[in-house]
Amino acid sequence: MRDLQTEILSLMSRLHQLKELVVPMYFITSLAMSELALLPALESVEFAHPIEGGTGDRADLVEFNPALLDDAFPALKRLSFSSHLQHAVNFLNHPASPRNLVSIYLQVLAIDNPPILQHYFISVAHHLGRLTELYIDFLLGPDSPIVTPPPPPIARPCLETFRPLMSCRCLRRLELRWDYQLYIRESDLEELAMSWPFLELLLLNCDPIPEPEPPMLSPLALVFFAKHCLRLRELALYIDGCRVPTADLELVPPFVRLEKLSLGSSPIADEDAMALFLSQLCPIKC
């Protein structure tokens, strides 16, 4: 990006009627974000599919600190960008950062500790009152920095990490991809599910890096979302499919609108038992 940045940004600065911009991953450097903030009609900045649009150089984003003027982002509604979590927090806390976003996608350059992730959620909840879509994405790849050895459970994102988002009651889509299994218990999930009555899609780190320890959640974790998220269409969780409940779920309300259920890399010992359990919760067309 650095090699072409001057020419590309010079062109973009003259596109005063531009409403939508699709760019390669790692394209939005500090300077690029500063220039995009000046476009009066820009409503959407989103990433192209990596295969179609290629990628920039993640080294260009080691430092992310856009210079923003008071009248920045007058029309922006949807934003995708890459940065370290702390830089994203600083960006959202800037007085001139976009305040009318309905969708924000953050591609995290490296896994950070849970308090920093919590600070990001605090900034989102405090500054983005109209938000309906939230995406936090750590992409595993050849150049992705991996934490080794795996952190202990208490050093992983937990209910307290997510608690700031419980005030975002208009959330419709939430996706989180992290490195290792989260430290989320089933009782925690029910508290989260009760906070998001309009949720339509939830992906909660369903493909973590494999570990010897089994998933913390049993298949009963699905019940909370069937009970409290009546608009849910897509759900993806990491559960212990080797602990299939044998109790009758006749009194448990099934999903009303669920169209897609993904269990990612969840271990499943007895496929028939799991299928029978899911048949009591999922609509026929799921």
Side-chain angles (χ1 to χ4, degrees), residues 182-239:
L182 307 177
Y183 186 52
I184 299 287
R185 298 166 297 186
E186 291 181 9
S187 57
D188 301 334
L189 272 189
E190 181 165 31
E191 193 170 349
L192 292 174
M194 293 175 64
S195 301
W196 301 323
F198 300 107
L199 202 62
E200 297 176 5
L201 180 150
L202 175 66
L203 186 154
L204 202 57
N205 204 38
C206 63
D207 283 301
I209 297 174
E211 299 178 79
E213 293 76 14
M216 293 185 62
L217 303 175
S218 79
L220 285 175
L222 303 173
V223 171
F224 304 128
F225 294 99
K227 182 178 179 181
H228 299 293
C229 301
L230 303 184
R231 302 188 181 192
L232 199 63
R233 294 183 293 104
E234 296 185 29
L235 177 62
L237 295 177
Y238 180 60
I239 64 174

Side-chain angles (χ1 to χ4, degrees), residues 16-70:
H16 299 296
Q17 300 304 314
L18 182 67
K19 290 187 176 182
E20 297 182 7
L21 179 65
V22 180
V23 298
M25 192 174 296
Y26 309 136
F27 176 88
I28 308 296
T29 62
S30 296
L31 183 56
M33 187 71 85
S34 301
E35 290 295 329
L36 294 177
L38 302 176
L39 296 179
L42 187 63
E43 297 179 355
S44 174
V45 178
E46 297 187 293
F47 286 145
H49 193 282
I51 296 178
E52 299 171 353
T55 60
D57 186 349
R58 62 186 296 135
D60 293 342
L61 296 165
V62 172
E63 296 295 332
F64 183 77
N65 185 27
L68 304 178
L69 302 178
D70 290 342

Side-chain angles (χ1 to χ4, degrees), residues 117-118 121 136 157-167 174 176 182-184 192 196 202 204:
L117 180 59
Q118 183 188 48
F121 289 154
I136 306 95
C158 63
L159 177 64
E160 291 306 311
T161 309
F162 289 87
R163 191 172 293 282
L165 293 181
M166 294 170 66
S167 64
L174 173 60
L176 173 73
L182 307 177
Y183 186 52
I184 299 287
L192 292 174
W196 301 323
L202 175 66
L204 202 57

